[in-house]
């Protein structure tokens, strides 16, 4: 896992892909754009082709043919795997103090106790479901709607024009 010092960027590396999560509006603002809302960017960056090949993808052309809807399950599954602490939780559970502390989760991971980590993650999900506004689920619905919208428009790729600049050869 990688976190920016400002807490604006989260990344988790897996063996064949990287999950990235950040506020894209901050990126746009740093480039001079006038953005008045937050923009969540959730990205799966594949570093090996094995998983993509299993989905029938070998080139960009395959992505265009298959369309965005083909990736919905993959995207939603990875989003739901994200450990998300919903700040709208209202509960008297003493566990909440631990669960909202990122160091608590880091310690569980460092202790290499996957079953203990999963147990507490499941409890957090149950607490969230019963005692919060369910922000992660609301984001899931927004993602599904966005994928549906993009699927209706069809996939398209802008052509990339690369201009070569001649530089003098130095010996």
């Amino acid at each position: 896992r990688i976190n920016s010092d400002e807490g604006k960027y989260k990344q988790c590396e897996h063996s064949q892909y990287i999950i990235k999560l950040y506020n894209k509006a901050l990126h746009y603002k740093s480039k001079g754009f006038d953005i008045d809302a937050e923009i969540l960017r959730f990205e799966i960056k594949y570093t090996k082709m094995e998983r993509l090949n299993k989905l029938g993808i070998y080139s960009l052309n395959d992505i265009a043919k298959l369309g965005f809807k083909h990736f919905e399950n993959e995207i939603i599954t990875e989003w739901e795997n994200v450990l998300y602490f919903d700040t709208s939780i209202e509960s008297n559970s003493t566990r909440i103090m631990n669960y909202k502390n990122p160091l608590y989760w880091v310690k569980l991971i460092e202790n290499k106790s996957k079953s203990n980590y999963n147990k507490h993650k499941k409890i957090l999900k149950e607490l969230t479901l019963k005692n919060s506004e369910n922000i992660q689920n609301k984001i899931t619905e927004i993602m599904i709607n966005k994928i549906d919208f993009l699927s209706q428009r069809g996939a398209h790729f802008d052509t990339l024009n690369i201009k070569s600049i001649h530089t003098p050869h130095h010996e």
Side-chain angles (χ1 to χ4, degrees), residues 63-80:
I63 295 171
K65 282 187 220 171
L66 292 169
F68 295 109
K69 192 73 173 165
H70 190 75
F71 297 96
E72 183 175 77
N73 288 339
E74 187 95 4
I75 292 167
I76 299 305
T77 298
E78 290 302 330
W79 169 245
E80 290 177 349

Side-chain angles (χ1 to χ4, degrees), residues 86 99 104 111 134:
D86 192 327
Y99 291 170
Y104 173 80
N111 289 338
N134 265 320

Side-chain angles (χ1 to χ4, degrees), residues 29-56:
K29 286 177 184 177
S30 72
K31 302 287 183 197
F33 291 95
D34 184 25
I35 306 292
D36 61 354
E38 294 181 326
I39 302 170
L40 173 68
R41 173 79 178 247
F42 181 75
E43 178 182 329
I44 303 172
K45 176 183 176 182
Y46 290 94
T47 55
K48 294 193 168 78
M49 289 295 292
E50 184 179 342
R51 282 181 73 162
L52 289 173
N53 291 161
K54 285 180 182 176
L55 293 171

Side-chain angles (χ1 to χ4, degrees), residues 48-133:
K48 294 193 168 78
M49 289 295 292
E50 184 179 342
R51 282 181 73 162
L52 289 173
N53 291 161
K54 285 180 182 176
L55 293 171
I57 298 164
Y58 299 90
S59 69
L60 285 175
N61 194 38
D62 294 330
I63 295 171
K65 282 187 220 171
L66 292 169
F68 295 109
K69 192 73 173 165
H70 190 75
F71 297 96
E72 183 175 77
N73 288 339
E74 187 95 4
I75 292 167
I76 299 305
T77 298
E78 290 302 330
W79 169 245
E80 290 177 349
N81 283 336
V82 168
L83 175 64
Y84 184 90
F85 183 83
D86 192 327
T87 57
S88 72
I89 293 176
E90 292 184 16
S91 171
N92 294 329
S93 171
T94 55
R95 296 176 192 259
I96 294 297
M97 291 305 289
N98 283 335
Y99 291 170
K100 72 178 174 181
N101 182 351
L103 296 177
Y104 173 80
W105 298 100
V106 169
K107 197 168 198 168
L108 283 179
I109 293 167
E110 286 174 351
N111 289 338
K112 296 186 180 1
S113 176
K114 188 171 183 174
S115 62
N116 200 24
Y117 172 87
N118 287 334
K119 176 184 113 177
H120 288 285
K121 185 176 177 187
K122 183 179 178 186
I123 294 169
L124 173 61
K125 289 231 180 225
E126 289 168 3
L127 283 168
T128 302
L129 185 63
K130 295 175 185 172
N131 304 295
S132 77
E133 295 175 24

